[in-house]
Amino acid sequence: MSTQHADAPDVSGLSIGILGGTGDQGKGLARRFALAGHEVIIGSRNAERAQQAADSLGEGATARGAENAAVAREADVVIVAVPWDGHKATLESLRAELAGKIVIDCVNPLGFDKQGAYALPVEEGSAAQQAAAILPDSTVVAAFHHVSAVVLLDPEIDQVDLDVLVLGDDREATNTVQALADRVKGMRGVYGGRLRNAHQIEALTANLISINRRYKAHAGLRVTDV
């Protein structure tokens, strides 16, 4: 069952760039979008590392690697999957290259101590709002926060059984990102509100990490009655 209307945008031809694509989350998303038939460009500060990550995606998942600036320039849609501590500096350095594009932020500002994961305060309210403040000429959408990298990377898992909450202030952009989420087998994009509500989506990741530790799982979310 899909939340998308029949007039959902055709996103099959969009190329997808992933900043921070050498980390497990970025690499996992790259793999699934490549399997769905998209041109995927993995970004890193080091082009060689980016290409190594692209070459490691496994059978049927073809991608290429490049430096972050080239990825930001060339891709139609760019996913930000960098570590939180490098989020601000990375986006500031790519402001010009990302102008005019949909930028999907999936970064979760989390800290970890002996009690587990917890949400960190963000001056702008959330990582997504920080991205929007840094990138005034881009359209920032928050999505893909609750997708297990382990599941994304597992070649034995054919379907990624979860909903992706998509938040943003531009209807056309959120429709596009929902349609992209729908391209991954088993995944569904669900509109989750305005960008100002991204904080609790990012913070909820800490709860999912707690669930995973307790139940030795890779939990995702499903939204009922839509």
Side-chain angles (χ1 to χ4, degrees):
M1 180 183 174
S2 175
T3 56
Q4 295 285 12
H5 299 296
D7 60 352
D10 178 11
V11 296
S12 58
L14 293 180
S15 62
I16 299 172
I18 301 182
L19 305 178
T22 57
D24 285 349
Q25 191 75 13
K27 211 158 44 176
L29 288 169
R31 180 173 180 274
R32 295 293 168 167
F33 281 119
L35 289 171
H38 288 272
E39 179 191 353
V40 174
I41 318 167
I42 287 180
S44 172
R45 285 174 295 185
N46 180 298
E48 193 177 334
R49 278 190 67 219
Q51 190 57 51
Q52 287 170 354
D55 292 340
S56 74
L57 296 183
E59 195 175 335
T62 304
R64 61 188 171 93
E67 284 186 40
N68 281 332
V71 171
R73 226 179 1 254
E74 293 172 30
D76 296 321
V77 175
V78 177
I79 297 174
V80 182
V82 299
W84 167 239
D85 59 8
H87 184 261
K88 188 173 187 178
T90 300
L91 295 182
E92 284 176 343
S93 72
L94 299 171
R95 188 181 280 126
E97 290 85 352
L98 292 170
K101 297 182 190 263
I102 292 175
V103 176
I104 304 171
D105 201 299
C106 69
V107 175
N108 299 305
L110 299 177
F112 295 86
D113 61 17
K114 288 179 181 175
Q115 296 183 57
Y118 61 96
L120 296 172
V122 179
E123 188 181 344
E124 296 85 353
S126 64
Q129 287 168 292
Q130 184 183 86
I134 294 168
L135 305 171
D137 298 321
S138 305
T139 304
V140 175
V141 175
F144 300 109
H145 299 89
H146 305 142
V147 189
S148 163
V150 175
V151 169
L152 292 173
L153 288 166
D154 190 338
E156 299 297 311
I157 295 176
D158 183 47
Q159 291 213 155
V160 182
D161 185 26
L162 53 78
D163 289 336
V164 170
L165 294 174
V166 178
L167 293 87
D169 297 328
D170 182 289
R171 179 69 176 266
E172 193 176 333
T174 56
N175 283 350
T176 295
V177 177
Q178 282 179 254
L180 282 172
D182 286 351
R183 296 275 298 161
V184 177
K185 198 185 286 188
M187 203 180 273
R188 184 177 68 150
V190 177
Y191 174 71
R194 298 278 188 159
L195 209 61
R196 68 182 183 182
N197 286 319
H199 165 74
Q200 59 264 35
I201 301 300
E202 296 169 5
L204 186 62
T205 307
N207 302 85
L208 284 173
I209 290 169
S210 300
I211 290 168
N212 290 339
R213 284 186 171 172
R214 172 65 63 90
Y215 297 103
K216 296 181 173 53
H218 302 294
L221 296 177
R222 277 291 191 205
V223 179
T224 62
D225 201 34
V226 293

